[in-house]
Amino acid sequence: MARQIPISRIRNIGIMAHIDAGKTTVSERILFYTGKTHKLGEVHEGATQLDWMPQERERGITITSAATTTTWKDHQITLIDTPGHVDFTVEVERSLRVLDGAIALFCAVGGVEPQSEKVWHQSEKYNVPKIAFINKMDRTGADFFGVLGEIQNELGANAVPVVVPIGKEENFCGIIDLVMMKAVFYDEDSQGTRFREEEIPADKMEKARKWRANLVEKCAEQDDSLIEKFLETGDLTQEEIIGILRKATMARRVVPVYCGSAFKNKGIQRLLDGVLRCLPAPNEIPPIICAKEQEANIREPTDDSPFSAVAFKIMADKHMGKLTYCRIYSGTLSQGDTVYNSTRDKTQRIGRILRMHANRQEPIEKAFCGDIVAIVGLSDTKTGDTICHEDHPIHLEAIEFPAPVVSISISPESTADNERLGEALHRLADEDPTFTVSFDKETNETIISGMGELHLEIIVDRLKREFNVSAKVGRPEVAYRETTTVATEGQGKYVKQSGGHGQYGDVWLRLEPLDAGGGYEFVDDIVGGSIPQNFIPAVQKGVVKAMAHGPFAGYPVVDLRVTLFDGSYHDVDSSDIAFQEAARIAFKNLFLKGQPELIEPIMSIEVVTPEEFMGPATSSICQRRGRIESMERKGELQIIHGMVPLAEMFGYSNALRTLTQGRANFSMHFEHYEAVPDALATTIVEKRRLEKKVR
């Protein structure tokens, strides 16, 4: 099977935005105008193609990223629609890791909102070029130029309009294409499939010339060879503008800005043209470099290079079993091929290769460089793993995921469900790296952890619908952490005589606090062989095990450097187990001497409220141990920015609705950890000890 579409005519893109900016509606229009679907799917009707899960259709939100492939003007576009809700940030993270470009979507009324800022920074981490689309130009309060300013000022982007709107709110009727200098009007009777290009109306010409001049100037700034021409003539040709826009966008020096109303079927075709013009093909991204420094492998993104791919998503299918979504970075892949998982040192055979359309599948015989496909047969592969040719191994950059911040206990409603519950939870954890399952032996409880209340609520709902398992859940609990504030050092010794061989381990450790977010460091500072090198890993293992359930409150320990600097051993009685135990004893004693403190997740919150409810909305944050950072007006609304502990935010949605007669809304995302106030920390620790959760 030969390649059908040249790699230069492939685009792998995603749509990223704050919740309710219109991502799924834009995606549905893209599918409609490209001929992938023949009926417009509406979010409010629960009839969308990409939001296929029952929970998505019922709630009108995107929960899982959905991939589909379509064509536009002889180009193949693979599109990934990502969630906007912060609880499902894992879907955004893993999608951005494998995309070549993205559409950053903004609401013309809401502008740059908290989650749009977060996903923007996520895309910058992976060097993803972007074009922007300001949606909902038909909404009351729509302000194209206001949002443009926010993109420039709040995100630091060199945002350059390539179209400007004609009218706004109920009078929004079309756009001015600044490259072609034409007015574009959309036919409502044909659901926007037909549009006409006309001369720019006389009353709009001044605005058009102003923004055309801005576009030309921004383009000239990106290319020294064009500056002289621009200074002489004050203009550039269409070809020159398009050429430099493409180069500058791919280099992330410019963000072209489009606008429209997806719901009213305006502006999407020009956006698709922008995807082809400005975003890179797979062979235009830099060569893939091996993530392990000792291996100097560089892989060119071509079909002729040795095969390499990243597994970025796992999904269970009731007919196919485990589907592993992969982005192919080099080479080709055929059904029946044997591939090497370099992350886990395992060889596996490819069963089937599928091109996905949301939850529907199209079998294909062969996949090529740049393709995004689902693979059957990679049973031992996890999210973030590299798969490659066995004779040409390579390690590609993995995907980093945030740690869960909310936990609940879960138990089956009947003994018959017990085994099925465990199996179902582990299958869901396999799909979602931000969802974890653990078992507390002390309390005999199964604990599930995730990114928020909604995240865990969806998990429990999926247990019932997909796995037919009914479960009882406890109250949500915050994922506290503990750390030490004072450096300490001392000895831990484990000696046991039981006839014959005994056990002997002796370590001296130094514990030092790190800055917030510093993680964990282990330093081997043994000199002179006081502890043989073969026992050093056992010491580290003992420390890590002790840190998993901290001595202070039973929560994981973070932001700590542990140095092993002395000790002793016995020629006969010393063992790995003895040194693990000695390290655990030393760690526990030293940690409790180091003035330990409990730290809690702090959320950045944004409340949008009519001015008349400013007082109650502000008080609702302060009453939850929160602090107000800033307030600003946007139209007739007030926006409150603040920081608030996650522990105080359970049930906040209902409380805010009550206080504001349902007219305010809020969004929040994890920001950092802070120390819990002493009195509250004491209460939490005492409760944990009573529950026997401190070991």
Side-chain angles (χ1 to χ4, degrees), residues 108-171:
V109 181
V112 175
E113 298 174 277
Q115 189 64 5
S116 42
E117 188 173 355
K118 183 174 177 61
V119 296
W120 185 278
H121 294 312
Q122 283 176 292
S123 73
E124 288 292 289
K125 181 169 74 174
Y126 294 113
N127 301 319
V128 178
K130 293 170 284 292
I131 61 177
F133 185 73
I134 299 176
N135 190 31
K136 302 189 179 184
M137 284 301 305
D138 60 305
R139 288 269 307 275
T140 302
D143 183 357
F144 174 84
F145 298 104
V147 177
L148 176 68
E150 289 181 24
I151 298 171
Q152 293 167 334
N153 299 326
E154 296 183 28
L155 300 178
N158 187 14
V160 181
V162 292
V163 306
V164 290
I166 301 175
K168 65 177 182 178
E169 301 178 340
E170 72 272 10
N171 297 318

Side-chain angles (χ1 to χ4, degrees), residues 345-421:
D345 192 23
K346 290 182 179 288
T347 301
Q348 299 170 89
R349 186 175 178 274
I350 301 298
R352 302 184 72 180
I353 305 173
L354 307 169
R355 199 177 300 285
M356 300 300 296
H357 178 58
N359 63 329
R360 300 200 300 276
Q361 305 138 1
E362 175 196 345
I364 57 175
E365 293 178 6
K366 191 171 185 177
F368 299 86
C369 178
D371 282 349
I372 293 176
V373 294
I375 298 171
V376 180
L378 301 180
S379 56
D380 293 324
T381 296
K382 304 287 186 184
T383 300
D385 287 1
T386 297
I387 56 171
C388 54
H389 195 287
E390 192 170 12
D391 297 333
H392 302 276
I394 192 171
H395 292 84
L396 303 182
E397 182 187 0
I399 310 172
E400 295 180 0
F401 299 110
V405 294
V406 176
S407 302
I408 57 173
S409 60
I410 189 167
S411 59
E413 286 195 347
S414 66
T415 51
D417 283 335
N418 195 35
E419 188 174 333
R420 287 190 296 159
L421 175 64

Side-chain angles (χ1 to χ4, degrees), residues 505-558:
D506 175 28
V507 301
W508 283 79
L509 300 180
R510 182 182 303 113
L511 273 54
E512 301 167 277
L514 297 175
D515 293 337
Y520 159 66
E521 293 178 15
F522 181 83
V523 180
D524 173 10
D525 206 15
I526 292 293
V527 180
S530 56
I531 298 177
Q533 280 297 309
N534 59 300
F535 290 132
I536 304 296
V539 176
Q540 185 171 7
K541 188 176 180 181
V543 169
V544 170
K545 287 176 72 174
M547 290 178 67
H549 298 276
F552 184 49
Y555 293 108
V557 175
V558 296

Side-chain angles (χ1 to χ4, degrees), residues 44-112:
H44 63 276
E45 294 174 356
T48 58
Q49 296 286 314
L50 296 179
D51 283 351
W52 58 270
M53 293 174 67
Q55 296 89 344
E56 293 178 313
R57 294 187 166 183
E58 289 168 5
R59 298 165 185 263
I61 61 171
T62 302
I63 293 170
T64 184
S65 55
T68 188
T69 300
T70 188
T71 56
W72 179 252
K73 297 184 176 179
D74 298 323
H75 286 68
Q76 174 183 296
I77 298 176
T78 296
L79 170 68
I80 298 181
D81 178 30
T82 63
H85 197 287
V86 66
D87 282 19
F88 310 108
T89 188
V90 61
E91 299 291 338
V92 182
E93 187 80 23
R94 61 179 162 199
S95 299
L96 288 170
R97 167 64 181 83
V98 300
L99 293 174
D100 301 327
I103 299 170
L105 196 67
F106 301 92
C107 172
V109 181
V112 175

Side-chain angles (χ1 to χ4, degrees), residues 2-3 7 283 288 298-308 328-333 366-370 389 392:
R3 178 187 278 281
I7 192 170
N283 64 336
I288 300 96
I298 295 179
R299 234 18 91 78
E300 296 292 336
T302 67
D303 292 343
D304 298 329
S305 297
F307 170 73
S308 66
I328 301 176
Y329 281 96
S330 62
T332 61
L333 184 69
K366 191 171 185 177
F368 299 86
C369 178
H389 195 287
H392 302 276

